[in-house]
């Protein structure tokens, strides 16, 4: 069954994952906008980056603000990808790998920073919910990346060139 899922990115399972990614990103965007408003009105960082009990340091605040801006740009790219996916655009695999790679990088940096700061221990339930909601995105990232690599391998075997 796994091989069948990987060969066809148009199957129902992948479609559900792409819809989940779109919903996840829209919720992400709303939470970033809400956090930006809270920051502008009261100078406090809120969800999705719940602080440790001691609060975020000034440097961490600038870091989170920068991440939020880059995440917002990636959300726009991800919504273009979702549109391209459902309209069978030729670039959907490329855009999918691009936006999902940026999302994975952002998630790993976010997780590292929030774990290291102690925010997870102080807000464990919230961070577990975010992690569980993110798991389908990891699966989608894996599927698109493997499909892209597989396509590259097929191209290189036909032309006699190497992926390296």
């Amino acid at each position: 069954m796994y091989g069948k899922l990987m060969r066809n990115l148009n199957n129902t399972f992948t479609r559900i994952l792409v819809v989940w990614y779109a919903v996840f990103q829209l919720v992400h965007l709303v939470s970033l906008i809400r956090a930006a408003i809270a920051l502008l009105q009261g100078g406090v960082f809120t969800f999705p980056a719940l602080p440790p009990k001691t609060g975020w340091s000034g440097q961490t605040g600038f870091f989170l603000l920068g991440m939020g801006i880059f995440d917002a740009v990636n959300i726009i790219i991800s919504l273009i990808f979702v549109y391209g996916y459902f309209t069978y655009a030729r670039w959907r695999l490329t855009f999918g790998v691009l936006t999902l790679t940026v999302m994975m990088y952002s998630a790993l940096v976010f997780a590292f920073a929030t774990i290291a700061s102690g925010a997870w221990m102080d807000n464990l339930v919230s961070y577990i919910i975010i992690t569980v909601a993110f798991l389908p995105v990891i699966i989608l990232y894996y599927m698109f990346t493997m499909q892209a690599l597989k396509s590259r391998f097929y191209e290189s075997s036909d032309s006699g060139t190497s992926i390296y």
Side-chain angles (χ1 to χ4, degrees):
M1 179 170 166
Y2 169 77
K4 191 175 189 179
L5 288 175
M6 290 303 296
R7 280 193 299 270
N8 182 1
L9 290 179
N10 297 318
N11 61 52
T12 303
F13 180 68
T14 307
R15 289 175 172 274
I16 290 169
L17 290 177
V18 171
V19 168
W20 181 262
Y21 185 53
V23 170
F24 182 89
Q25 288 291 60
L26 287 171
V27 170
H28 187 191
L29 182 61
V30 168
S31 69
L32 289 174
I33 291 169
R34 184 179 155 272
I37 291 169
L39 179 64
L40 292 172
Q41 289 179 344
V44 178
F45 284 95
T46 62
F47 184 83
L50 295 172
K53 287 180 184 169
T54 58
W56 297 118
S57 71
Q59 290 175 329
T60 305
F62 288 118
F63 172 77
L64 291 171
L65 183 61
M67 274 193 73
I69 292 167
F70 282 108
D71 280 354
V73 171
N74 188 52
I75 290 168
I76 293 166
I77 295 169
S78 68
L79 296 176
I80 293 169
F81 153 67
V82 171
Y83 169 80
Y85 175 83
F86 284 106
T87 59
Y88 300 97
R90 293 176 53 113
W91 44 264
R92 69 187 182 151
L93 182 60
T94 303
F95 254 58
V97 171
L98 170 70
T99 185
L100 288 162
T101 300
V102 171
M103 188 71 213
M104 293 300 296
Y105 176 77
S106 178
L108 289 171
V109 170
F110 179 80
F112 177 79
T114 53
I115 290 169
S117 71
W120 280 59
M121 285 296 118
D122 296 335
N123 304 288
L124 189 59
V125 173
S126 295
Y127 281 103
I128 287 174
I129 290 169
I130 292 170
T131 302
V132 169
F134 190 71
L135 290 175
V137 177
I138 296 170
I139 296 167
L140 186 64
Y141 168 73
Y142 179 78
M143 291 174 66
F144 266 76
T145 301
M146 289 299 108
Q147 186 62 39
L149 290 172
K150 214 162 140 181
S151 297
R152 180 65 180 121
F153 282 125
Y154 288 141
E155 289 171 9
S156 64
S157 66
D158 291 341
S159 64
T161 60
S162 170
I163 191 168
Y164 304 107

